Amino acid sequence: MTDQTASARRPEQALSQLRCIACGALSGQATQNFRCPTCGDLLEIVYPGWKSADGIQANLGPAGLKNLWRQRKISTLPVDQSGVWRFREILPALADWQAMISLREGNTPLYELPGCARSVGMQRLYGKHQGMNPTGSFKDTGMTVAASFAQQAGFRWVACASTGNTSASMAAYAARGGMHSLVLIPEGQISWGKLSQALDYGALTCQLKTDFDGCVQVLNEVVQRMPVYLLNSVNPYRLEGQKTAALELLEQLDWRVPDHVIVPGGNLANSSALGKAFLEMKDLGLIPCLPRISIIQAEGANPLVRTLREAGGKELVRVRAETMATAIRIGNPASWKKAIRVLQATDGTVEQVSELEMALAKAEIGADGIGCEPASAVTFAGLKKLLKQGFVQTNQIVILILTGHLLKDPEFTLKFHRGDLFSGTADERESGRLSSQQRAPVVLEANADAVIRTVEKFGS
Ligand code: F0G
């Protein structure tokens, strides 16, 4: 046993089980499609051992856990340098730690957004920037866990349907683990940045003539017919990894619970994962209360908003999704039931924002020297609405979960600043109100006078 495995295999790590979210059936092993063999609903991971006499609660307790996780920050072991596996007490245990595939994911910054805060009359506003992960999105935190389990199970192939970020992340982790990756993406509907990542990391990339929801359907059939490991977010191991962003956030806030956490909603796995993390943290005595978790969708891709407003959260209202925030262009979200449970348990809400509101919010986050991809900016646009409604107060602690890096979708950003993002759309006329945030590049003769005149015209 190497030093790393000796340190990683702690007796406190409890074994996990898979439980169906609808019928509660328990199983030790997942089927190919990660659906309950009894009723077909989604699975979640539970840890019955946590509360046992030799479980983490009795063994370490909240203070012991917080201490242990903090101490690992100065460790040089790969398993501790991962901002995900550092929290391995609350993750499913790998039987073989040699299977771990890590790119030192997690460890993402919590930034203040002073300009954004000022513009909405808040004293403070924070962005937890998950776009600062190795492949530029939050997907890496879940991928390290699920890809490691694929490796441990001996799979040669992993696969996903994606709006771009999952595929980039999966391709990277598969490459690191020496596995082949199969990517199904909607043709012409993902950003070049994400597509180029999948290609460079060596994925077999198939652009299907359909949308994301169509890609999911095709993939579901593929995994039934071939021995490929499914890495979409119906895979509950991904959600376990994504939980760690919430733990890291609380650590960064010195375990002071924020009032609100605002998350973009697409397939609704991330909001579910973060909610699960907060509920588990409360259950383990790490925090005394819960933040309110709210989910923001684009108006054109709003199945959760409609499900709650039109069907009381009982039946999923599917939509034909259309938004320039291609990451969340999803009309049939897999994890809608999990997300609704989180909204109810944390007393959160849902809201939707227009394309113009999202584009403006994205530029404002950029102007704070941070930036993010369009899907992440719905959080700030949504916050503005929640403040107006009085759901959020200006003196509260609010965390925006920024899910993807600015450079994921440079085409959107360039078009925005050049002023042609909305050309030919129904929003074209109204898009004039974005001009205060637009910074188109200036073409000049190559001499200092021209540059100086331009600077002087710009003003101080
Ligand atoms: N933000 C970004 C940047 C995303 O890439 C996604 C989802 C979301 C938010 C929404 O998260 O699906 O958990 O509600 N992207 C997926 C993909 C679906 O394939 O990359 P969610």
Side-chain angles (χ1 to χ4, degrees), residues 300-322:
N302 61 352
L304 182 69
V305 175
R306 292 191 55 186
T307 294
L308 284 157
R309 292 185 185 166
E310 294 166 25
K314 297 207 164 49
E315 292 288 323
L316 177 66
V317 179
R318 293 181 182 80
V319 304
R320 249 187 88 88
E322 193 50 74

Side-chain angles (χ1 to χ4, degrees), residues 194-377:
K194 300 172 190 178
L195 177 59
S196 54
Q197 281 182 292
L199 302 180
D200 226 35
Y201 302 140
L204 171 55
T205 304
C206 305
Q207 307 194 74
L208 305 191
K209 296 177 193 307
T210 177
D211 56 11
F212 169 79
D213 300 303
C215 289
V216 170
Q217 256 182 18
V218 173
L219 184 63
N220 281 339
E221 195 179 326
V222 172
V223 299
Q224 298 291 358
R225 292 172 46 183
M226 281 178 66
V228 293
Y229 186 83
L230 179 63
L231 277 175
N232 268 66
S233 57
V234 293
N235 181 325
Y237 291 94
R238 282 210 19 221
L239 272 66
E240 292 308 288
Q242 287 175 210
K243 284 189 324 192
T244 57
L247 281 103
E248 194 176 83
L249 167 67
L250 265 283
E251 208 177 46
Q252 288 164 322
L253 292 170
D254 268 331
W255 296 96
R256 188 166 155 215
V257 181
D259 298 292
H260 293 274
V261 176
I262 302 183
V263 195
N267 218 8
L268 300 173
N270 203 30
S271 39
S272 304
L274 296 173
K276 186 172 189 280
F278 283 112
L279 289 163
E280 288 178 355
M281 278 191 263
K282 179 152 183 283
D283 199 35
L284 286 169
L286 292 161
I287 51 172
C289 57
L290 297 169
R292 287 178 141 182
I293 298 180
S294 296
I295 303 173
I296 315 295
Q297 296 197 300
E299 264 174 20
N302 61 352
L304 182 69
V305 175
R306 292 191 55 186
T307 294
L308 284 157
R309 292 185 185 166
E310 294 166 25
K314 297 207 164 49
E315 292 288 323
L316 177 66
V317 179
R318 293 181 182 80
V319 304
R320 249 187 88 88
E322 193 50 74
T323 169
M324 285 194 252
T326 50
I328 50 173
R329 197 171 190 257
I330 296 172
N332 183 14
S335 295
W336 66 278
K337 283 186 194 164
K338 289 186 179 180
I340 287 179
R341 239 174 25 178
V342 165
L343 291 174
Q344 287 166 349
T346 69
D347 223 0
T349 190
V350 288
E351 197 40 86
Q352 56 185 348
V353 298
S354 70
E355 300 288 290
L356 284 170
E357 288 165 337
M358 171 187 62
L360 180 62
K362 179 175 143 6
E364 289 169 314
I365 295 168
D368 259 332
I370 308 288
C372 61
E373 68 164 284
S376 310

Side-chain angles (χ1 to χ4, degrees), residues 82 85 94 96-105 140 143-152 158 172-179:
S82 162
W85 293 105
L94 281 166
D96 174 10
W97 283 92
Q98 303 296 341
M100 182 189 76
I101 308 169
S102 171
L103 290 165
R104 312 299 186 272
E105 51 290 317
D140 296 340
M143 206 54 76
T144 181
V145 176
S148 299
F149 274 86
Q151 174 97 315
Q152 181 175 265
V158 293
Y173 281 82
R176 294 295 292 185
M179 295 180 286

Side-chain angles (χ1 to χ4, degrees), residues 138-139 162-166 264-270 327-328 330 373 375 403-404:
F138 70 99
K139 306 287 182 179
S162 179
T163 57
N165 279 324
T166 300
N267 218 8
L268 300 173
N270 203 30
I328 50 173
I330 296 172
E373 68 164 284
T403 44

